[in-house]
Amino acid sequence: MSRMRSKTIHPLWLRCCHWVNAIAIAGMMFSGWRIYNASPLFGFSFPAEITLGGWLGGALQWHFAMMWVLVINATVYISLGIISGHFKRKFFPLSLRELFHDLQQALRGKLQHADLSHYNMVQKLAYGGVILLGIGLVLSGLVLWKSVQFSLLRELLGGYEAARYIHFFCMSAMALFVVIHLLMVLLVPRTLLAMLRGR
């Protein structure tokens, strides 16, 4: 039993990347909402109290600062994830049959989290999807940031306005993931302890 409790679930590099990502994503999200408010895509704005930057210029500075933190940290995370074999161990193999089973269990509130070192298929799908969302945010963000310099990328994404919508919907999906992630932490609090202590 003591061996089971002392088993390393999350190595130090992964925990550091996780918490840096959490800060960077929060900073980008809150500042991004302030930037969105300056030129809304839809008929609503985000309450100023939950935005970051105070004004458009300040929000842009926060957004760009957090962007570099996120990109550097994500590069470290993905590189170490591949080199260490973490991605291979955690995300593979994939099984469509197991995914349907785990989704049904999740919808019934019966999805098990007995072994925190093992990702179920819902977790594999969610965490893999977040990486893809991050790529979508970076690519569309590059177009919004330097539209002329990334003209080819802009055209591939369907133009500047299309990139704005892609950026918004990727951000919305990321925000939904964060909400679900926090709810799961509340339901299974030992996952938070594992991410803090590694064991």
Side-chain angles (χ1 to χ4, degrees), residues 83-136:
I83 293 167
S84 68
H86 173 78
F87 287 166
K88 185 177 179 180
R89 288 191 306 274
K90 294 290 185 177
F91 296 118
F92 297 96
L94 298 173
S95 166
L96 201 57
R97 185 173 149 191
E98 281 183 39
L99 175 60
F100 286 132
H101 174 266
D102 288 350
L103 278 173
Q104 287 178 343
Q105 294 296 97
L107 293 172
R108 293 174 185 164
K110 295 180 179 179
L111 192 59
Q112 296 296 315
H113 295 278
D115 183 3
L116 296 182
S117 65
H118 172 74
Y119 288 164
N120 57 54
M121 287 303 298
V122 173
Q123 287 174 303
K124 290 178 182 180
L125 183 68
Y127 296 145
V130 163
I131 293 173
L132 293 178
L133 283 177
I135 293 169

Side-chain angles (χ1 to χ4, degrees), residues 27-41 46 51-64 144 160 164 167:
M28 290 201 75
M29 202 170 289
F30 297 144
S31 59
W33 291 344
R34 172 69 70 168
I35 296 166
Y36 167 90
N37 285 352
S39 180
L41 286 170
F46 294 96
T51 64
L52 180 65
W55 58 298
L56 179 58
L60 285 167
Q61 288 177 345
W62 272 104
H63 208 66
F64 292 145
L144 301 181
Y160 184 84
R164 287 189 70 201
H167 204 68

Side-chain angles (χ1 to χ4, degrees), residues 71-93:
V71 167
I72 292 168
N73 190 62
T75 302
V76 171
Y77 170 73
I78 291 172
S79 299
L80 290 176
I82 294 171
I83 293 167
S84 68
H86 173 78
F87 287 166
K88 185 177 179 180
R89 288 191 306 274
K90 294 290 185 177
F91 296 118
F92 297 96

